[in-house]
Amino acid sequence: MNKRALLVANSASMIDHFNRDNIAILKSLNYEITVAADFDHGNSSTKERINEFKAELLEQGIELLPLSIPRSLTHIPEMFKSISRLKKHIAEHPYEIIHTQTPFGGVVGRLASKKARKQNKTKVIYFVHGFHFFKGASATNHIISYNIEKYLSHYTDCLITLNHEDYAAACNKFKHPNARYVPGIGVDTDMINNMQVDKTEKCLSLGIPTDKKIILTTAELIPRKNVEGTIRAFAGIKNPDSVLVICGKGHLAEQLKKLAKDLNIADRVFFLGYRTDILDIYHIADIFLFTSYQEGLPVSVMQAMAAGLPIIASDIRGNRDLLGAGEGTLSSDYLIDVNDINAFTEKLDYLLTKPDIRNSLGSENVKRCRDNFDISIVHKDMLAIYEELASEREDSL
């Protein structure tokens, strides 16, 4: 009988963005794969992408299990319905590996798997994209999230974290016997770094001035990403020979456009929305600015590193891992208190006038990305985890 693996997440987008390589690894190990997620969540553009992704999965022979997982603790009845449905599915379709992710996907997936762990010796993975009891989180998040995660860690055979702060929490607070650090989903450093993009041509196609320094940010336009801080930092710079390019969509779009207008910089701020050509845009930028309040290990920062950009970023979990906080890197000097808008502005003004420093930072970032966060490293780590869990399961039968 063929081996079976189940991937569980809140939304199909999470599988699309973070599990393509994991699916490829499991297929290489001859697993039949089922994906359990919400395939209907999102706006029209998101749904179009999800429909394309569904078609790709079906073409690969992957089974789809539509599963609506609530994204709030205020929807407890719906949560238990999801758990019950998934538990029934698992009982009828025994799995060797169940790989869960996202906070609520992790809750549903692990609670639904409890019986399978005992009866079928199913190995359950929880990939943490960022604990919600991080440093700086609210007291409520600390109390609720910490206790939920601690309880569920007892029903987790491998707890994977993607930054060192969360790894320390898994080891020291949960005392988890099989906590692992894996550097996110990784990026193809050489592919990104070797891309050739004509800046003038690309700027013209985007409606951006061709003779300006470009400060780039890419983030969902939601409060957690603090794009307001990015706009305010840019508004304070002394160098008028620059523009701010914002890539991303979200419900704060109109509010942020109004902010740019109120700060009298609307003619220098370009909102490009969601982009499928984001890797090209990294290559026409001069500085990457990232003022987010909360991250696990941001892919956008990894991509900017691989593209050779100097980066100014908030001094938070995830960003610290990427830019080498405490390791004496050049880039660690550009980690800024998330609430210190003036400090972001000062660093922008400095880098805009120092092309040699920008080049040094960019070169360091490429090397650091290749050595620590390349997709080949992540692939090797995940392959080892899947193989080790399979071996442990065989030994326990």
Side-chain angles (χ1 to χ4, degrees):
M1 188 168 68
N2 289 334
K3 300 178 293 183
R4 293 174 55 84
L6 172 68
L7 275 66
V8 183
N10 279 27
S11 68
S13 294
M14 288 297 296
I15 303 293
D16 183 13
H17 293 155
F18 298 105
N19 287 274
R20 285 179 169 274
D21 198 51
N22 291 334
I23 288 172
I25 294 170
L26 288 167
K27 285 179 69 68
S28 75
L29 296 172
N30 297 316
Y31 281 88
E32 293 181 357
I33 301 169
T34 300
V35 171
D38 186 346
F39 290 92
D40 295 316
H41 181 74
N43 57 29
S44 57
S45 62
T46 303
K47 286 181 180 177
E48 182 179 349
R49 173 58 211 151
I50 288 175
N51 285 333
E52 292 174 358
F53 181 54
K54 284 170 62 177
E56 291 178 36
L57 293 177
L58 291 170
E59 189 175 336
Q60 295 179 56
I62 293 171
E63 180 186 10
L64 307 185
L65 176 64
L67 188 69
S68 179
I69 300 177
R71 292 166 172 77
S72 170
L73 289 174
T74 60
H75 298 92
I76 297 297
E78 290 87 345
M79 182 80 70
F80 279 103
K81 285 180 184 177
S82 299
I83 293 168
S84 177
R85 184 177 180 214
L86 188 59
K87 182 179 179 180
K88 184 176 183 232
H89 171 84
I90 292 170
E92 295 171 350
H93 305 80
Y95 291 96
E96 279 74 20
I97 288 176
I98 297 178
H99 182 147
T100 72
Q101 58 222 292
T102 68
F104 292 103
V107 169
V108 170
R110 286 182 285 176
L111 288 178
S113 305
K114 285 173 64 176
K115 190 173 182 179
R117 289 183 72 241
K118 286 185 178 180
Q119 292 187 346
N120 193 44
K121 305 301 182 183
T122 299
K123 293 297 181 178
V124 177
I125 299 169
Y126 176 44
F127 199 119
V128 184
H129 288 270
F131 284 132
H132 280 203
F133 55 88
F134 59 96
K135 293 176 184 176
S138 68
T140 302
N141 268 4
H142 270 283
I143 294 169
I144 296 175
S145 176
Y146 172 78
N147 284 292
I148 290 174
E149 294 289 6
K150 184 174 183 179
Y151 170 74
L152 289 174
S153 70
H154 298 294
Y155 304 100
T156 310
D157 297 288
C158 183
L159 200 161
I160 304 173
T161 65
L162 45 65
N163 60 65
H164 287 97
E165 183 179 316
D166 286 345
Y167 178 69
C171 294
N172 301 327
K173 293 184 178 181
F174 298 165
K175 308 296 183 184
H176 198 281
N178 193 19
R180 301 291 187 92
Y181 165 76
V182 174
I185 63 169
V187 294
D188 190 334
T189 310
D190 288 335
M191 182 276 288
I192 295 174
N193 188 247
N194 292 330
M195 292 176 64
Q196 299 296 317
V197 180
D198 186 300
K199 180 173 181 176
T200 299
E201 182 180 318
K202 192 66 183 178
C203 284
L204 288 172
S205 72
L206 297 171
I208 300 171
T210 61
D211 59 345
K212 304 291 185 182
K213 293 286 189 301
I214 295 175
I215 299 165
L216 172 66
T217 193
T218 174
E220 193 174 357
L221 306 185
I222 57 175
R224 179 169 66 85
K225 296 295 187 175
N226 190 30
V227 178
E228 177 180 339
T230 297
I231 293 172
R232 292 190 181 279
F234 175 74
I237 65 175
K238 300 172 184 176
N239 190 327
D241 193 33
S242 57
V243 296
L244 175 63
V245 172
I246 300 172
C247 296
K249 60 182 177 62
H251 70 271
L252 293 183
E254 294 307 313
Q255 182 178 322
L256 293 170
K257 290 175 184 177
K258 183 179 183 300
L259 174 63
K261 184 177 180 180
D262 292 345
L263 294 172
N264 298 313
I265 56 171
D267 60 330
R268 297 171 56 210
V269 180
F270 296 82
F271 290 85
L272 301 187
Y274 174 76
R275 307 298 307 187
T276 58
D277 58 347
I278 189 61
L279 297 182
D280 289 343
I281 297 174
Y282 285 114
H283 283 277
I284 66 170
D286 297 279
I287 297 171
F288 189 74
L289 178 62
F290 194 69
T291 60
S292 179
Y293 285 124
Q294 176 194 344
E295 295 293 333
L297 196 74
V299 175
S300 59
V301 176
M302 282 190 276
Q303 291 173 333
M305 292 172 72
L309 283 175
I311 297 168
I312 304 171
S314 47
D315 187 8
I316 60 170
R317 173 190 65 181
N319 290 348
R320 296 188 191 109
D321 289 64
L322 291 172
L323 300 180
E327 299 178 30
T329 62
L330 295 174
S331 292
S332 63
D333 289 337
Y334 293 83
L335 287 166
I336 308 298
D337 182 338
V338 68
N339 296 307
D340 194 344
I341 298 300
N342 289 335
F344 281 108
T345 299
E346 289 171 6
K347 290 294 187 182
L348 282 172
D349 271 327
Y350 179 74
L351 286 185
L352 284 168
T353 61
K354 300 290 184 180
D356 54 335
I357 302 297
R358 295 201 304 270
N359 289 336
S360 295
L361 288 167
S363 296
E364 178 186 81
N365 284 338
V366 172
K367 184 179 187 306
R368 184 170 176 79
C369 189
R370 182 182 291 115
D371 291 348
N372 298 280
F373 307 104
D374 193 78
I375 192 170
S376 62
I377 297 170
V378 176
H379 185 105
K380 181 179 178 182
D381 289 346
M382 289 305 303
L383 176 62
I385 287 170
Y386 287 140
E387 289 183 326
E388 287 170 21
L389 290 177
S391 177
E392 288 174 11
R393 180 179 178 276
E394 287 296 317
D395 291 343
S396 67
L397 291 175

